[in-house]
Amino acid sequence: MGHSLLCMTGLLLLGSLFYVNAEVPNKPTVILEPSWPQIYSSETVTVRCEGSQSLFVWREATLIRPRTSEYRISRATESDSGGYSCCTMTLSVCSDIITLTVSSSKPRATLTAQASVIPAGGSVTLSCSVEGSAGWKFDWFRRDSQFSGGQKIGAGTSEHTISISEGGIYYCRGGRGDPVFSTEDSAAVTIQKQVLAAVKLQHSWSQIFTGETITLRCEIQGGEGKVWKYEWTAPNTNSPPTSSEYRISRVSVSHSGDYRCRGSSDYLLTGWSDAFTLTVSSSKPRATLTTQSSVIPAGGSVTLSCSVEGSAGWKFDWFRRDSVSSKAQLMRGNEANRVISVSQGGLYHCRGGRGDPVYYTEDSSDVTVVETSSKPRATLREQSPVIPAGGSVTLSCSVEGSAGWKFDWFRRDSQFSGGQKIGAGTSEHTISISEGGIYYCRGGRGDPVFSTEDSAAVTIQKQVLAAVKLQHSWSQIFSGETITLRCEIQGGEGKVWKYEWTAPNTNSPPTSSEYRISRVSVSHSGYYRCRGSSDYLLTGWSDAFRLTVSSDKPRATLTAGTTIIPVGGSVTLNCSVNPSSSSGWKYYWYRDNTTVDVVSPSNGQISVSQEGLYRCRGGRGNPVYYTEDSQEVQINKTVTVSGADISSSPVWLMVGLVCGVSLIIILLLLLYRCRQSKYSCFTRSIQSESHSPGSSTNHGVNQNETHEYNSLHPGDANLYESITQEEDTGTADVTYSLITLQNFGKKRKHHKAEQSAVYSEVKTGAAEDSLMYAEVKQPKKEKAKKNKGTSSPAADAAVYSEVTSGSSLSQ
């Protein structure tokens, strides 16, 4: 070998000297495919020679492979690096040397982004590259979150850039060659998409007064269905809210200024909204009352109008007094209509109110309205304006300066309903009432009766009971759950209620019947109370509901009666959540990280018949709050192992084959006889067990039994023969031989003949269960001509031969 190398080296030197400064005739060319300057481990490379002579591939004066002009390296390594050339066998003519360099390190793609934020309605360009090499095509991937799998959004494109318009986590990789060699994935780049935000005032009015409660909202266009984090910039505060609403309970002049907001959600981002300029007036507005006339004509009425100049959104309350020194009584309240008609004299004033809680204007100046009659008016007084729960209130009616009156009593359900008489002509000047409403009275005396004017109306509210209750059926609450407290009012069914709450950890409790806490924490623990008002019903503050929030997250527990699934059976798994004081759980099941079932509440059982690694967890509420996962339990299936020695199988196979061939010869003779006697041999009765057509053979045959089966269809011939050895000590080896026959055009007075089959079963020796089937089919004859009273050709007849070694199966 050393002498050969030395000779070859000498020849190369000699050839190089001979051709120095001279053009080599017919000089070959060496080509490297692919022609990339940098090759990586595991890539496929081909060295090819081109020229008019018989050329061979050499590497650094070493012949790679005789009699070949092409050398293919399927999975390149560093050892394949070196100089390659193409020469004749004698090295008389050689190509230039081409250098192959194989790098052991796998390259990583590099992803760069034009920008990290996609402008609203725009796009961003991503670029992918592999440094120091060429020939790459690129695959592009996107993930919705850090924990989701990557979705391919572009495959095998030679373009190294793409344009995207959706936020997400992006990465890329390069690939080249055939088969494809892939780089490492690039580092991920997070791209956010910008959407628009706007600050809007919840109310419809623009002028705001000191003391009002207002709410600004941050509205995001195109962000529906996302969970947003909000930021605000606002005057007069160092801690603006982080929710979508900016509520100012008692606004002042110092709150005037520009308000902006922005939001972020996953890979969506808004810029700062345009400024909303809030202007707060320091002066409290005053209502203005005007009257059509100051004198009520007999039997008539006058119109009063109330207004608040320069602003909107007001509702109006109306008041009346008998005199300057008397107390004003509310006539009508919270009416959007600013005009009323009155038919009773007195001093009237009004005021405006808006918002929640209601912000009131200053009262208007009094307007005096007089009647033309000198007719007396009854006076109604109440013991209390509120009826206690389960109690009553006394009303008194009188006519000043005279006697002999009897009294009629009236009640209205609302300001606009007619009065219903609840007591007539009683000399008692008091009554006891237990229902809320608007009450008034009048006096009458003489015959015919002379009636006074109706008294001024008195509004009586009835107190009912309120209670705070947890919407869910479980008492123990964990941090992170979503809960709802409800204010339930007994006896207030069918009414429209206004609600108030007192609660820990908040300055702006809700004004609805439900108090919903999206992600409860330990800081929400404490006492919750509510109350309500509706028309003439009023509740006191409810008893305190104590909410206790546990900081510990519960864990599910998985137990199994057994971890082995019996053959054809199943295993019951039980899932539970501790502590036992918590309830309302649904159970979520997983096998090998795949969801398998969801079981209804309070039922933590599931039956499984598949092996695998199982775990479970509990969940409850909406949105679902999940417990920690249970421990994992491995469930396996029962494995049945044959007791016979596999090494004995070839012996019994030979026995089965010999017996099968012998039986085939015997059965062919039997079939020939059957054909001669029109299949009379197949009409024998069933001696032991019968099977319907198409059913399987019963392999559980007792010793010394022989079975013959007769087909239910004319023309079918099925013969089962059983041969059993005296000793039956092992498992069975069974060989079946199937021979299919056909009638040969003979006339029969029946329908078409079906398939005929003969089965033979031989049981010998002790061995494993082993089955062998051999099938022989004769070709069908052409159909005979149709003649009246003749049957069609018989269908295939089949013969099965079964050889069973040892004892039969247990079943």
Side-chain angles (χ1 to χ4, degrees):
M1 182 67 181
H3 291 293
S4 299
L5 180 60
L6 182 61
C7 291
M8 291 179 184
T9 304
L11 288 173
L12 285 173
L13 292 173
L14 180 62
S16 62
L17 291 173
F18 183 80
Y19 290 108
V20 170
N21 298 324
E23 183 178 349
V24 179
N26 299 323
K27 184 177 182 178
T29 302
V30 60
I31 298 175
L32 191 64
E33 294 181 349
S35 59
W36 303 313
Q38 179 69 58
I39 302 297
Y40 297 96
S41 293
S42 299
E43 285 198 273
T44 298
V45 182
T46 300
V47 181
R48 180 178 292 111
C49 295
E50 292 185 356
S52 60
Q53 304 182 40
S54 296
L55 300 172
F56 307 98
V57 178
W58 296 74
R59 183 176 68 194
E60 297 177 351
T62 301
L63 182 63
I64 296 295
R65 184 180 299 163
R67 293 183 176 82
T68 180
S69 62
E70 182 176 290
Y71 178 52
R72 180 180 174 87
I73 307 173
S74 296
R75 294 178 61 83
T77 64
E78 282 186 289
S79 63
D80 292 312
S81 300
Y84 288 81
S85 62
C86 292
C87 301
T88 61
M89 180 61 75
T90 61
L91 298 178
S92 61
V93 179
C94 291
S95 69
D96 293 334
I97 297 175
I98 189 169
T99 302
L100 172 65
T101 303
V102 180
S103 173
S104 62
S105 61
K106 193 171 186 179
R108 178 180 293 275
T110 301
L111 179 64
T112 56
Q114 174 191 9
S116 61
V117 177
I118 302 171
S123 62
V124 162
T125 299
L126 302 181
S127 301
C128 192
S129 62
V130 181
E131 187 177 359
S133 55
W136 300 100
K137 294 184 177 180
F138 299 97
D139 295 334
W140 305 85
F141 302 87
R142 176 183 178 274
R143 291 203 307 265
D144 285 329
S145 68
Q146 293 287 353
F147 309 103
S148 63
Q151 300 293 321
K152 187 177 285 188
I153 59 173
T157 172
S158 57
E159 291 294 329
H160 74 285
T161 63
I162 62 169
S163 181
I164 59 170
S165 58
E166 290 296 325
I169 300 176
Y170 290 85
Y171 61 96
C172 68
R173 69 174 174 228
R176 68 182 185 185
D178 184 14
V180 175
F181 170 80
S182 297
T183 68
E184 298 285 351
D185 291 346
S186 72
V189 172
T190 299
I191 304 296
Q192 292 180 304
K193 181 178 180 180
Q194 191 176 64
V195 290
L196 298 178
V199 176
K200 293 187 179 180
L201 186 64
Q202 180 183 15
H203 318 292
S204 59
W205 50 90
S206 57
Q207 188 171 6
I208 307 299
F209 298 98
T210 299
E212 285 196 270
T213 296
I214 65 166
T215 300
L216 299 173
R217 283 195 175 130
C218 186
E219 297 184 357
I220 298 176
Q221 302 173 14
E224 296 78 7
K226 295 289 186 181
V227 179
W228 290 90
K229 294 180 180 178
Y230 294 88
E231 294 179 76
W232 290 83
T233 62
N236 194 30
T237 181
N238 294 323
S239 57
T242 56
S243 63
S244 62
E245 291 188 349
Y246 194 135
R247 183 180 174 88
I248 307 175
S249 294
R250 293 181 60 83
V251 71
S252 65
V253 175
S254 63
H255 290 102
S256 298
D258 292 336
Y259 290 75
R260 294 180 176 87
C261 73
R262 69 178 179 184
S264 61
S265 175
D266 293 336
Y267 309 110
L268 293 177
L269 180 70
T270 74
W272 285 106
S273 66
D274 292 337
F276 177 88
T277 301
L278 178 67
T279 303
V280 181
S281 175
S282 60
S283 60
K284 191 171 186 179
R286 177 181 293 275
T288 300
L289 179 62
T290 58
T291 179
Q292 173 191 14
S293 172
S294 61
V295 177
I296 303 173
S301 62
V302 296
T303 300
L304 305 180
S305 298
C306 191
S307 62
V308 180
E309 186 178 1
S311 57
W314 301 101
K315 294 183 179 181
F316 300 96
D317 297 334
W318 302 86
F319 301 88
R320 176 189 174 277
R321 290 183 294 170
D322 287 329
S323 64
V324 175
S325 59
S326 63
K327 182 180 178 181
Q329 300 292 324
L330 177 66
M331 298 170 51
R332 298 184 183 180
N334 199 33
E335 289 190 355
N337 192 347
R338 65 186 190 90
V339 176
I340 64 169
S341 293
V342 297
S343 58
Q344 184 179 5
L347 277 71
Y348 291 88
H349 69 270
C350 68
R351 69 180 178 189
R354 68 181 183 185
D356 184 14
V358 179
Y359 170 80
Y360 293 106
T361 67
E362 298 285 354
D363 291 348
S364 71
S365 301
D366 285 338
V367 169
T368 301
V369 177
V370 296
E371 302 177 46
T372 57
S373 173
S374 59
K375 191 176 186 178
R377 176 181 297 278
T379 301
L380 179 63
R381 293 181 175 85
E382 75 277 14
Q383 176 188 7
S384 169
V386 178
I387 302 172
S392 62
V393 162
T394 299
L395 301 180
S396 301
C397 190
S398 62
V399 180
E400 188 176 359
S402 56
W405 300 99
K406 293 184 178 181
F407 300 97
D408 295 332
W409 304 85
F410 300 88
R411 177 184 177 274
R412 290 202 308 265
D413 285 328
S414 69
Q415 294 286 355
F416 308 102
S417 62
Q420 301 293 321
K421 187 178 286 188
I422 58 173
T426 173
S427 56
E428 292 293 328
H429 72 285
T430 61
I431 61 169
S432 181
I433 59 170
S434 57
E435 291 295 324
I438 301 175
Y439 292 86
Y440 60 97
C441 67
R442 68 173 174 230
R445 66 183 180 183
D447 187 12
V449 175
F450 170 78
S451 297
T452 67
E453 294 286 347
D454 292 344
S455 71
V458 171
T459 299
I460 303 296
Q461 291 181 303
K462 179 179 179 179
Q463 191 176 67
V464 290
L465 298 178
V468 176
K469 293 187 178 179
L470 187 65
Q471 179 184 16
H472 319 293
S473 59
W474 50 88
S475 57
Q476 188 165 9
I477 307 299
F478 300 96
S479 290
E481 287 197 86
T482 295
I483 67 165
T484 300
L485 300 173
R486 282 193 175 134
C487 186
E488 297 185 357
I489 298 175
Q490 302 173 15
E493 297 78 7
K495 296 289 185 180
V496 178
W497 290 89
K498 294 181 180 178
Y499 294 88
E500 296 179 77
W501 290 82
T502 63
N505 195 29
T506 181
N507 293 323
S508 57
T511 57
S512 63
S513 62
E514 290 187 348
Y515 194 132
R516 181 178 174 88
I517 306 176
S518 294
R519 290 181 60 84
V520 71
S521 64
V522 175
S523 64
H524 290 102
S525 298
Y527 294 98
Y528 291 76
R529 294 179 176 87
C530 72
R531 70 179 178 184
S533 60
S534 173
D535 292 338
Y536 312 111
L537 294 177
L538 181 69
T539 76
W541 285 106
S542 66
D543 291 338
F545 177 89
R546 183 176 182 180
L547 178 66
T548 302
V549 181
S550 174
S551 60
D552 298 326
K553 190 169 188 178
R555 178 180 295 275
T557 301
L558 176 62
T559 58
T562 177
T563 60
I564 305 298
I565 302 172
V567 177
S570 62
V571 166
T572 298
L573 304 180
N574 291 277
C575 192
S576 60
V577 178
N578 287 324
S580 58
S581 60
S582 61
S583 60
W585 300 104
K586 291 184 179 179
Y587 296 95
Y588 297 78
W589 298 88
Y590 305 88
R591 181 184 71 251
D592 299 329
N593 294 324
T594 302
T595 303
V596 295
D597 197 9
V598 178
V599 182
S600 28
S602 74
N603 182 0
Q605 287 190 347
I606 184 175
S607 293
V608 298
S609 58
Q610 287 183 281
E611 64 182 0
L613 193 62
Y614 287 84
R615 60 187 172 87
C616 69
R617 65 176 175 175
R620 68 182 184 186
N622 183 20
V624 179
Y625 169 82
Y626 293 103
T627 68
E628 298 284 355
D629 288 357
S630 70
Q631 80 282 10
E632 295 179 325
V633 174
Q634 178 68 44
I635 301 299
N636 297 315
K637 281 191 174 182
T638 302
V639 179
T640 304
V641 181
S642 174
D645 186 359
I646 297 176
S647 63
S648 63
S649 296
V651 177
W652 295 110
L653 177 61
M654 295 301 297
V655 173
L657 289 173
V658 172
C659 294
V661 172
S662 301
L663 288 173
I664 290 171
I665 297 171
I666 295 170
L667 293 173
L668 288 172
L669 294 175
L670 290 173
L671 290 172
Y672 177 77
R673 292 183 60 191
C674 291
R675 177 170 173 246
Q676 297 299 322
S677 57
K678 296 185 179 179
Y679 296 92
S680 61
C681 65
F682 293 105
T683 59
R684 298 161 62 185
S685 61
I686 299 173
Q687 295 180 0
S688 178
E689 297 182 18
S690 61
H691 292 264
S692 63
S695 63
S696 61
T697 305
N698 183 5
H699 298 296
V701 181
N702 293 327
Q703 294 183 6
N704 302 325
E705 285 187 353
T706 301
H707 299 278
E708 296 180 2
Y709 298 83
N710 183 29
S711 170
L712 298 179
H713 299 281
D716 286 358
N718 300 306
L719 174 61
Y720 294 78
E721 182 178 358
S722 173
I723 302 172
T724 309
Q725 274 195 344
E726 289 295 319
E727 294 186 3
D728 209 10
T729 59
T731 55
D733 290 343
V734 182
T735 303
Y736 287 94
S737 178
L738 170 63
I739 302 171
T740 304
L741 300 181
Q742 179 179 0
N743 283 342
F744 296 92
K746 292 186 179 181
K747 298 180 179 178
R748 299 183 62 184
K749 295 183 179 180
H750 302 289
H751 4 299
K752 293 181 181 179
E754 304 293 339
Q755 292 181 350
S756 302
V758 177
Y759 293 82
S760 176
E761 177 183 71
V762 180
K763 298 185 177 180
T764 60
E768 289 183 335
D769 292 349
S770 178
L771 301 179
M772 179 178 296
Y773 295 85
E775 177 177 332
V776 180
K777 292 188 178 180
Q778 292 184 355
K780 291 185 180 181
K781 305 294 183 180
E782 294 182 359
K783 289 188 177 180
K785 295 182 179 179
K786 294 183 179 179
N787 294 318
K788 186 175 184 182
T790 63
S791 63
S792 59
D796 293 345
V799 178
Y800 288 80
S801 174
E802 173 182 327
V803 181
T804 305
S805 299
S807 60
S808 61
L809 297 174
S810 60
Q811 295 182 354

